[in-house]
Amino acid sequence: MPKGFGGGKQAIRDGIERCIGGMPPSDTPLRPRITGTEAGNGFRVEKVIFEPRPYVYATANVYIPDGVSGPRGAVLLLCGHREQAKHCDEYQTVCHYLVHAGLIVMALDPVGQGNASAITIRRWGRRR
C-alpha cells in the first residue's frame, strides 16, 4: 500500500461514530428465548428471539440436525430485505441444504423486518 494510505481509516471511523452519537455498549445481555420448536425431516427448527442491543429485538430460526450431541460446524445466514425475510423460499432452501449437510444454521431476520417488526410494534405501539 502506498505511503500515506490507511492513516485516515481511524479518522473516518471516529467521524462516523461521532455522527451516529457513539456506539452502544457491546456487553449487554442477549436475553435469548426459544419461543417454539418445529420438527423437520431430519432436523428441528428452534424459533429464537434475543436482544442484540437493549430494546432491539432480533428473531431467528435455528436449524439443528437430528442426533447432534457435540460441537458442530455452524452457518449464520443473513437474509436480505425480502418481504418474507427468513421465510422466503430461497432462504428456506439454503437452510435445508445446509442442515441436511450436518451443519447448524441460524437464519436471522433483518432488523425491523419479519417477526422482529411485530415485536417492536407491540412494545412501542408504532414503528421507530
Side-chain angles (χ1 to χ4, degrees):
M1 184 179 310
K3 191 174 184 175
F5 282 91
K9 286 192 292 188
Q10 189 61 46
I12 292 170
R13 181 177 297 195
D14 292 344
I16 291 171
E17 191 172 319
R18 196 171 40 258
C19 286
I20 63 171
M23 296 297 287
S26 61
D27 60 349
T28 60
L30 293 175
R31 302 184 216 292
R33 291 188 313 269
I34 298 172
T35 62
T37 302
E38 299 287 333
N41 182 15
F43 62 93
R44 73 179 183 278
V45 180
E46 293 183 354
K47 301 172 185 181
V48 177
I49 181 171
F50 62 97
E51 292 183 50
R53 295 284 182 249
Y55 305 109
V56 175
Y57 297 93
T59 53
N61 287 343
V62 180
Y63 296 75
I64 304 169
D66 287 345
V68 171
S69 60
R72 171 90 35 148
V75 174
L76 177 61
L77 182 74
L78 302 175
C79 301
H81 291 278
R82 299 287 301 266
E83 185 177 336
Q84 296 172 319
K86 67 183 178 291
H87 299 290
C88 175
D89 288 342
E90 290 88 348
Y91 298 134
Q92 290 288 305
T93 299
V94 170
C95 292
H96 289 182
Y97 276 120
L98 292 170
V99 76
H100 283 123
L103 297 167
I104 294 172
V105 182
M106 181 178 202
L108 189 63
D109 275 327
V111 174
Q113 223 178 327
N115 295 339
S117 64
I119 294 160
T120 302
I121 291 168
R122 278 198 307 268
R123 178 164 179 93
W124 299 106
R126 59 179 159 55
R127 282 185 180 240
R128 290 189 168 234

